[in-house]
Structure formats: C-alpha cells, structure tokens
Amino acid sequence: MVVGGRKMRIPLPILLLLLLLSASAAGMFTAQRDSVAFQAGLRLERALPTRGVRLDHLLARDRARHGRSLLGTSGVVDFPVEGSANPFTFGLYYTRVRLGNPARDYYVQIDTGSDVLWVTCSSCDGCPISSGLNIQLNFYEPDKSSTSTVLTCSDDRCTSALQTGEAVCPSGSSRRACSYSFQYGDGSGTAGYYVYDTIYFDTITGDQQSLNSSAQIVFGCSNSQSGDLTKSDKAVGGILGFGQNGLSVISQLSSAGVAPSVFSHCLSSSDSGGGILVLGEIVEPGIVYTPLVPSQPHYNINLESITVNGQALSIDSSVFTTTDTRGTIVDSGTTLAYLAEQAYGPFVNAIIASVSSSVRSISTSGGNECFVTSSSLDESFPSVTLNFKGSVSMSLKPENYLLQQGIDGDTIIWCIGFQNNKGSEITILGDLVLKDKIVVYDLANQRIGWRNYDCSQSVNVSTSSGRNQFLNTGQFNANGVSHMVYHKLLWTSIGFLFLFLFFL
C-alpha cells in the first residue's frame, strides 16, 4: 500500500482485523437481505381482475357462506396473503399454508367466520383441479407425509370437537376416522376427516429476527365437495378458519406457545391492493376497542346505534341485541355488508335524504338504490357512524357503504353496498366495511379494535415479548432497501479503513 509516497506494509494482525470486518459486513448484509425479503412478503398482493361478477352473484356467495353450518411465545407469525381487492372479480382473500413432510403449499381462503383449517385431499369427489385465480391447486395425501396421523374417534381432540359440533363420529366407531361435514345454505359444502400434521410458517421475534418455525396442528382433509366449491373460476384449495374454537389455527398455535393469542389485518381498497395479516397485535395510536360478546361462535360485538350525518337513526336498540338469532358479526370472509331487516329501511332512507344536490338517483335491474354524481363521493354522500358498546365508534366513508356497480356514460354508478338481511336480525360487517381499517382481534382480552388507516403504509406490531416490531408494508421495496443496507455497510468498512490509515 502506498501512503504519502511511501510504500507501507500492513501488519498481519491489522490485515486480519480488516478481513474480519469485511466478512462481518457481508454477513450483516446477508441477514438484512433475508429479513427484508421476509418483511416484503407481508404485503397483501392482489390478483388482477379477470372478469366481472354481477351483484346477485356476490349476494349468492355471501348467502352461501352465511348458511354454512359451522359444526359447531414467541413472536409475530406472518401468513403471505393474496386476493382480489375488487368485489366484482372474486371478492376473497387467500393465503398459502405449508403442510406435511415433505412440505407442500396449499392455497386457502382466509375466513374469520369459521374455525377449521381444511384442505382438499387426494381422491376428492367433485373437487376442481384448476383455478381461475391462477394458483396451483395441490392435493394433500396423508399417507405420503411422514409426520401425519389420522385422528380417530377415540382421540381426545376429536372428543372436544364433537362437543362443539365440529366433528362427526357414529356410535361405537372409536377406531374410525374423526370426520366433519360443513354445509352451505345453497347446498354446497365439504366433508372429510381430521389429520394431525406439521404446519410451517415465518415468525418475527422480539429481537427482530426472522425465523422459520413449525408446529403440529389438527386440520381437515376434504374428500368431498359440492356446489360453488366445485367451480374452477374462484377455486382455492381449502379454507383457513380464524375463529375462536379450539380447532382454529390461532387457538392451536397460541395454546402451543407458538403465537400470541391475537391477530390483526389491514386491507387496502386501492386498485393496487396492499395490507397485512399477522398473528400479532398492531399497535398504532388511535385504535379503539369494544368487548366481544362472550360465549358466541362468531366475532360478535355490541352495535348500539347508527348515525347518518350526525343524526341517530330511529331504530329500536333491541334490533342489535345479541342472542342466538340476532346480533352483529365481524366477518372478513363476507364480501359485502348486511343489516338486520328492521334497520335496513331507516338506513337507506337516511342516505337518500342526505345526499347533495349533485347526486342523481337512477334505476337498476337489481332493485338496489343507485346514484350518479358529478362531484366527489365525500362531497356527495353523508358520513355514517356505527356506535358500539364502550362509547366507541366506527366511522364509514362513502366507499365503506357504497359499491361501484357500473358506468353511465362517463360517470360511475354507485349503489348502496349494504344489503337487506331479509328475515334475519343479524348484522354482518364484511370487507366492504373493514377495508381501509386496522382490525385487531384480541382473543386474550376478548375484544376487537379498529381505526381508519391507509393500509399501504407501515404499521407497528407487538410481539409476545412486549417489544414492537416495525413492519413496512405496501410500498416496501426489497431490492431498494437491500441496496441501501449494502451501501451503509460498505461505507462503514471504508470508514474503518481510513481510521486505520490515519493512525498509521
């Protein structure tokens, strides 16, 4: 090395130190790159629209899932999520789970309205073999997984599922497989048996490390499907239930100490999609909480009143009281939103009476209340507020109760997206309401929290260790951040070199 015109020999110990610093920098870069790649996977990727879907098809889909007979620490766990942000394409979110040994990937719909994870198995009757979602449909084969066990009716876990109505075992069949049968209101459904096998996932720990984790869980092996589940245009490989019963994935993983007893999501309404889904608690300022109604099969919360432009609607409060046949359910698996029949008329009438002069009502073949406007939605339509127990409110922008139905010339046709749950006193808050909101399902404290949020932005997620992990989502660029980290490490190494030369 030449310094100031003099040729100098670098002592061997110093040379070794520089080499160690360079290796350390390279190692840090690799770790940061792997961590960044994992965090980038937290983005909710949206499928591009491939076809239009009429409103009556969406209604039929929601009616089907509402008619379903639901028979019945470590860190923040991330499930990579994909799906359609547009309800007129497929209107669902799905994730990829890895099961078995050797592990295989299965795409399953995310559903907070049911409890059980089930995937399509080999030799399945009526099951589609391809999907319009452009995903690979794999078939689970218990006999080809070295870690799988078929649950029998004598298994304690089957006995517990029998008590909650999530399993079926004929009398005197203790050695037979523990079975299940989930039915839909339109006649579609799935049936199969339970297995016990390995699930793999990614975990962010309190010290901000990304780990590959696994656990043994019980899930369903579907060997029969019917109705809409047989259609290829929106086929997935199963359903991932996020309910509260013992067989749900969140319950099993939290009981095993693998994940905290809380999960969160934030779904973006932008055309490009975006958002996150984690087993962990998003801890942004301004989140308000209301208690869950105890001893309910769904995520029931106490809706007390509705206001439109600050005026309370004239609705008997008993309409929203939770019983076995009425109440308000938070359900990310429902595309639209549904109001109890007695609340629907006052709600629609209040919206119509509050629109601005720039709004014009139009008739549609579906019989829904629809409008066109020459101004922006916020200027044309009123604000809506849902008021819950605990003096907390959920504010709805027009996009949270209106649905784009079509085009009239150069103008968008907007229809009221809330539907009349005729003959029912159940109100369901689906994705139409939940989008553009952080939603936290805190099972440990039996409460649900929310706040309006731009879901393309970053959020903080609390780990079970009490630390907060900053998760960058939406506009996160893995390559750009890796490049930045690399240059920071490079300049650090150069700094050490100049310090060494200076002291020489």
Side-chain angles (χ1 to χ4, degrees):
M1 176 181 295
V2 177
V3 179
R6 294 183 300 115
K7 188 173 183 180
M8 299 184 63
R9 181 183 300 275
I10 300 175
L12 181 60
I14 300 298
L15 180 60
L16 291 175
L17 176 61
L18 290 174
L19 290 174
L20 285 173
L21 287 172
S22 300
S24 176
M28 290 172 64
F29 166 65
T30 302
Q32 290 287 342
R33 179 197 61 199
D34 293 342
S35 177
V36 165
F38 168 73
Q39 292 181 27
L42 293 171
R43 174 182 291 179
L44 281 173
E45 300 294 344
R46 309 293 185 175
L48 293 177
T50 56
R51 53 171 293 184
V53 180
R54 290 169 47 192
L55 182 60
D56 56 350
H57 289 172
L58 286 174
L59 291 169
R61 174 185 173 274
D62 283 341
R63 281 196 298 269
R65 57 170 285 98
H66 298 160
R68 181 185 306 166
S69 174
L70 298 178
L71 304 175
T73 222
S74 53
V76 175
V77 175
D78 161 56
F79 286 96
V81 182
E82 300 175 63
S84 172
N86 188 337
F88 289 100
T89 53
F90 297 99
L92 59 85
Y93 295 96
Y94 57 94
T95 187
R96 184 185 72 251
V97 295
R98 306 199 73 199
L99 301 169
N101 186 15
R104 299 191 72 190
D105 292 337
Y106 304 88
Y107 291 92
V108 290
Q109 182 183 353
I110 300 166
D111 184 10
T112 62
S114 64
D115 295 289
V116 175
L117 163 63
W118 61 264
V119 295
T120 302
C121 282
S122 57
S123 303
C124 182
D125 183 20
C127 300
I129 60 175
S130 62
S131 173
L133 295 173
N134 296 319
I135 56 177
Q136 177 67 42
L137 297 182
N138 291 325
F139 295 85
Y140 177 75
E141 299 178 87
D143 58 341
K144 291 188 177 180
S145 172
S146 63
T147 52
S148 72
T149 302
V150 176
L151 258 64
T152 64
C153 290
S154 61
D155 193 291
D156 289 342
R157 291 161 295 191
C158 184
T159 303
S160 298
L162 286 169
Q163 294 174 352
T164 59
E166 294 171 318
V168 179
C169 276
S171 178
S173 57
S174 61
R175 295 186 178 181
R176 293 181 57 179
C178 183
S179 303
Y180 66 85
S181 180
F182 304 151
Q183 298 300 318
Y184 292 76
D186 64 350
S188 64
T190 179
Y193 55 91
Y194 288 111
V195 296
Y196 185 62
D197 206 345
T198 305
I199 184 172
Y200 304 88
F201 42 84
D202 293 314
T203 302
I204 300 177
T205 62
D207 56 1
Q208 303 184 18
Q209 296 298 309
S210 173
L211 302 177
N212 294 322
S213 305
S214 65
Q216 296 287 110
I217 64 166
V218 175
F219 58 91
C221 181
S222 173
N223 54 24
S224 176
Q225 293 173 23
S226 60
D228 280 349
L229 289 176
T230 66
K231 297 178 180 179
S232 295
D233 60 344
K234 52 186 176 181
V236 290
I239 290 179
L240 174 54
F242 271 91
Q244 302 181 73
N245 277 352
L247 283 185
S248 73
V249 169
I250 181 67
S251 295
Q252 293 190 67
L253 294 183
S254 62
S255 296
V258 174
S261 188
V262 55
F263 68 97
S264 313
H265 60 66
C266 190
L267 309 177
S268 174
S269 66
S270 67
D271 292 337
S272 60
I276 63 171
L277 170 71
V278 292
L279 303 191
E281 180 183 1
I282 296 179
V283 285
E284 291 295 328
I287 296 178
V288 297
Y289 286 88
T290 190
L292 283 166
V293 180
S295 304
Q296 294 297 317
H298 300 286
Y299 290 113
N300 283 76
I301 53 179
N302 287 302
L303 176 62
E304 296 181 336
S305 65
I306 302 175
T307 59
V308 176
N309 262 359
Q311 298 296 314
L313 303 185
S314 180
I315 302 173
D316 189 333
S317 60
S318 65
V319 171
F320 302 124
T321 302
T322 300
T323 67
D324 291 339
T325 58
R326 65 173 64 178
T328 301
I329 298 170
V330 178
D331 182 8
S332 67
T334 291
T335 304
L336 305 175
Y338 295 78
L339 276 176
E341 185 173 18
Q342 295 181 47
Y344 183 77
F347 175 78
V348 172
N349 292 336
I351 297 294
I352 295 174
S354 302
V355 298
S356 72
S357 58
S358 65
V359 176
R360 176 171 57 90
S361 297
I362 62 173
S363 300
T364 62
S365 59
N368 293 311
E369 295 291 339
C370 298
F371 317 89
V372 293
T373 179
S374 57
S375 302
S376 68
L377 289 183
D378 288 338
E379 295 173 337
S380 302
F381 293 91
S383 62
V384 171
T385 303
L386 308 180
N387 304 300
F388 296 89
K389 184 176 181 178
S391 300
V392 299
S393 300
M394 178 184 290
S395 60
L396 305 184
K397 299 178 181 178
E399 293 92 336
N400 293 124
Y401 63 81
L402 295 176
L403 200 63
Q404 183 176 337
Q405 184 66 40
I407 297 178
D408 180 19
D410 295 331
T411 307
I412 295 175
I413 299 174
W414 294 95
C415 297
I416 293 182
F418 274 69
Q419 303 300 306
N420 188 349
N421 207 356
K422 294 181 179 179
S424 173
E425 294 178 309
I426 294 177
T427 295
I428 303 172
L429 307 180
D431 288 337
L432 180 66
V433 171
L434 302 179
K435 65 186 180 181
D436 293 326
K437 290 178 178 62
I438 292 170
V439 183
V440 180
Y441 303 75
D442 185 356
L443 306 187
N445 296 301
Q446 283 294 286
R447 61 181 187 167
I448 286 184
W450 62 80
R451 65 155 290 185
N452 290 338
Y453 201 78
D454 179 356
C455 295
S456 66
Q457 300 301 309
S458 305
V459 296
N460 286 296
V461 181
S462 173
T463 67
S464 58
S465 65
R467 298 185 183 179
N468 290 341
Q469 170 65 50
F470 183 76
L471 300 182
N472 195 334
T473 61
Q475 299 179 358
F476 193 90
N477 185 300
N479 292 331
V481 174
S482 295
H483 186 68
M484 177 184 68
V485 171
Y486 170 75
H487 278 284
K488 286 183 178 179
L489 294 171
L490 177 61
W491 284 110
T492 300
S493 299
I494 292 175
F496 277 118
L497 178 60
F498 274 104
L499 284 173
F500 163 72
L501 295 176
F502 176 79
F503 283 110
L504 283 179

